[in-house]
């Protein structure tokens, strides 16, 4: 082995500083003289070893130790060193975190999410804890922890999210485009949903979801729910009112279809109550989805009031709407009342009368025969006993 | 216990044999009428089993039941299947009546003691029967068809008209809506559901009791299954008809027969028990669902 080769190897392994090398390496070599020892520990026994090869490959690999550890100016340095201020470089991010909910519950150090700063890698690297596919697990260390959830009074959203359509897309299919925590909540400047600037403030939610779901957003904003939301109606639904935030499921699922009419009914109470009386609702309650639910007639994101000529339940469009299922529906067919109320005498006189008649018939026939039957039973039983006793005498 | 049971069985078998020899039997129902009743009650049970989960679709048992029988598609298929079967049986019966009435000119079909058409005696019988219930008078002498039996019979006609027409209207809603307004479909569902409920509750309480469970017939009246009843039972239950037949001499000749076969009676007992069990189960479930909602 030639001397030259030995010299090259020596240099590659980070040999003694050479005058031609940048000052960073001089500083780091000095630090690593101690911190480069795998068994190097501090006064209280904590391991202070820095793996130089990992550090060199990290996103901070080109920095000198003292770029971050600014309180250390020479050797020997004090036992107590000032904590590193990431914000010295990452000022925007630090400012964001300062305004966020995380700052309010006690500062969450950068490292809680970003991991060990000496091995920190780019967010595009699958090794990064804030790589899109890793974010839910990273956030879940706190937001999936029952004790922390109890302490701060938030639901255990991690398991909810992992079972949602977004969670499946991310964990099962590995889709980078699947919404992860930060897609909706942001990254550093995560604000409470009660803060009007928050991406999950009620009236901001449609636009947050719309970053990906642009089609539904446009339909929603054109529909009555979106118009009411924009007009400041506090009871106007936003995406999460119907879809939930963390438990979003595929809308083609039977479990979603059979239960969501009641979601509409939580606001539209009287309309839901009258829907329940119909054949459509009866069939749906048995878990059968190929039947009219609210949205089959009214649409979903683009719901419009019947008075609007574009509405699917506008009288001029009803035939087309009914024909989606009842392909041979006629003009007469569409006078069917999907929300008839048998107790409303003025609006539905014929139905009211028929219901009253049938109830009276039911009560009359059954009461008459109930009395008839009981009297008969008593008469026969007593008569038989008398006959029996008479026979014995 | 086993010995006792065996002894009871033997004595029952013995009494059956004795009956065969000594007791005369009156033929009340023809084979055709018995089959008609069989089709009627089997399809009725089928329709009730597949219709009530829909009527009470929000009750705790409806969805589970629907899943057990194969989902809503299966329920609807069996419901329509039973409906068509019952319709065919009903139309066959009506056709037979029309043939006997207008081709054969059987006037007794429309009037008189052998007719199911109500007459003045029925009103008197109701009045007399209630007086008897209250120890105020003698028991009325019923003829071939008592007033409650006529009520049962015509209730089926009324039910077939109301439930059948409303059912077919909903089944072929787009077709019928060429002739009727769509709002009648709302009325059809109310008629269908309420009349069905009346029918189910009536059959599973009043009919079960009046015909089968009352002390004189308990646990079940075999006559609709075997077609025959003993002279003793005949005389007790329908004294007026018994007297007529005795006086005209018909009872001795053409209307008496031997006892029904044991297998037929046992078959009827098993079938009857199953039907009563299903009926009472549905009765309890529907009552719970009705009063909870």
């Amino acid at each position: 082995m030639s001397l030259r080769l030995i010299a090259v190897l020596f240099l590659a392994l980070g040999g003694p500083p050479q005058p031609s090398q940048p000052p960073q390496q001089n500083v780091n070599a000095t630090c690593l003289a101690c911190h480069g020892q795998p068994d190097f520990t501090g006064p209280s026994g904590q391991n202070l070893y820095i793996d130089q090869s990992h550090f060199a490959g990290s996103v901070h690999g080109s920095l000198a130790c003292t770029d971050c550890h600014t309180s250390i100016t020479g050797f020997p340095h004090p036992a107590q060193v000032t904590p590193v201020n990431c914000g010295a470089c990452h000022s925007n991010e630090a400012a964001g975190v300062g305004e966020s909910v995380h700052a309010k519950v006690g500062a969450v150090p950068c490292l809680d999410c970003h991991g060990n700063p000496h091995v920190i890698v780019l967010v595009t690297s699958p090794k990064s804890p804030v790589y899109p596919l890793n974010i839910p697990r990273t956030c879940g260390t706190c937001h999936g922890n029952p004790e922390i959830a109890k302490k701060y009074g938030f639901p255990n959203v991690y398991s909810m999210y992992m079972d949602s359509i977004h969670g499946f897309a991310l964990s099962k299919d590995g889709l980078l485009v699947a919404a992860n925590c930060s897609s909706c909540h942001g990254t550093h400047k995560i604000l409470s949903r009660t803060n009007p600037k928050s991406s999950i403030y009620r009236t901001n939610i449609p636009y947050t979801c719309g970053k990906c779901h642009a089609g539904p957003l446009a339909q929603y904003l054109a529909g009555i729910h979106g118009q009411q939301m924009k007009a400041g109606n506090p009871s106007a639904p936003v995406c999460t009112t119907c879809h939930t935030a963390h438990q979003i499921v595929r809308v083609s699922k039977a479990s979603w279809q059979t239960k969501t009419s009641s979601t509409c009914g939580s606001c539209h109470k009287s309309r839901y109550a009258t829907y329940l009386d119909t054949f459509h609702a009866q069939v749906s309650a048995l878990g059968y989805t190929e039947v009219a639910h609210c949205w089959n007639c009214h649409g979903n994101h683009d719901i419009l009031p019947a008075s609007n000529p574009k509405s699917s339940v506008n009288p001029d469009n009803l035939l087309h709407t009914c024909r989606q299922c009842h392909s041979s529906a006629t003009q007469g067919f569409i006078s069917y009342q999907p929300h008839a109320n048998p107790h409303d005498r003025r609006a539905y006189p014929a139905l009211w009368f028929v219901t009253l008649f049938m109830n009276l018939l039911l009560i009359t026939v059954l009461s008459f025969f109930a009395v008839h039957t009981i009297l008969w039973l008593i008469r026969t039983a007593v008569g038989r006993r008398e006959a029996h006793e008479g026979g014995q005498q | 216990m086993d010995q006792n049971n065996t002894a009871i069985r033997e004595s029952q078998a013995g009494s059956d044999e004795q009956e065969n020899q000594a007791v005369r039997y009156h033929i009340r129902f023809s084979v055709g009428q018995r089959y008609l009743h069989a089709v009627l009650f089997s399809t009725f049970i089928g329709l009730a089993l597949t219709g009530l989960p829909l009527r009470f679709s929000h009750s705790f048992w409806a969805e589970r039941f629907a899943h057990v029988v194969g989902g809503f598609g299966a329920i609807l298929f069996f419901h329509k299947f039973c409906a068509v079967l019952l319709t065919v049986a009903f139309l066959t019966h009506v056709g037979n009546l029309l043939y006997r009435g207008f081709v054969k000119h059987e006037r007794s079909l429309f009037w008189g003691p052998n007719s199911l058409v109500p007459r003045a005696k029925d009103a008197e019988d109701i009045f007399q029967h209630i007086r008897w219930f209250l120890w105020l008078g003698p028991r009325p002498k019923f003829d071939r068809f008592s007033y409650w039996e006529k009520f049962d019979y015509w209730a089926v006609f009324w039910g077939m008209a109301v439930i059948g027409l409303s059912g077919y209207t909903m089944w072929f809603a787009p077709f019928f809506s060429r002739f009727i307004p769509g709002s009648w479909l709302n009325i059809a569902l109310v008629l269908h559901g309420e009349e069905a409920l009346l029918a189910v509750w009536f059959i599973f309480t009043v009919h079960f009791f009046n015909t089968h469970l009352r002390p004189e017939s308990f646990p079940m009246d075999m006559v609709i299954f075997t077609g025959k009843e003993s002279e003793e039972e005949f005389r007790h239950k329908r004294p007026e008809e018994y007297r007529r037949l005795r006086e005209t001499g018909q009872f001795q000749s053409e209307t008496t027969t031997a006892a029904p076969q044991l297998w037929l009676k046992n078959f009827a007992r098993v079938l009857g028990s199953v039907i009563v069990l299903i009926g009472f189960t549905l009765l309890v479930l529907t009552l719970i669902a009705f009063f909870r909602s």
Side-chain angles (χ1 to χ4, degrees), chain A residues 31-51:
Chain A
C31 300
L32 288 169
C34 299
H35 289 281
Q37 309 292 328
D39 52 355
F40 183 68
T41 53
S44 52
Q46 75 272 36
N47 190 303
L48 295 175
Y49 168 64
I50 303 295
D51 187 326

Side-chain angles (χ1 to χ4, degrees), chain A residues 5-18:
Chain A
L5 185 56
I6 292 170
V8 168
L9 275 173
F10 193 67
L11 284 175
L13 290 168
Q18 302 289 316

Side-chain angles (χ1 to χ4, degrees), chain A residues 282 330 332 335 337 372-373 379, chain B residues 57 132 147 177 182 186 194 209:
Chain A
Q282 291 176 342
T330 62
S335 73
Q337 300 293 328
H372 184 272
T373 299
R379 181 65 181 86
Chain B
S57 55
W132 176 73
Y147 66 85
S177 64
N186 295 94
E194 295 304 293
F209 176 84

Side-chain angles (χ1 to χ4, degrees), chain A residues 324-359:
Chain A
Q324 291 174 329
C325 299
H326 307 277
S327 54
S328 53
T330 62
Q331 200 63 37
F333 184 82
I334 63 172
S335 73
Y336 170 74
Q337 300 293 328
H339 291 281
N341 181 357
H343 307 297
D344 189 340
R345 185 180 177 177
R346 288 181 174 219
Y348 308 98
L351 186 68
W352 177 85
F353 177 77
V354 169
T355 308
L356 179 74
F357 174 78
M358 290 308 295
N359 284 336

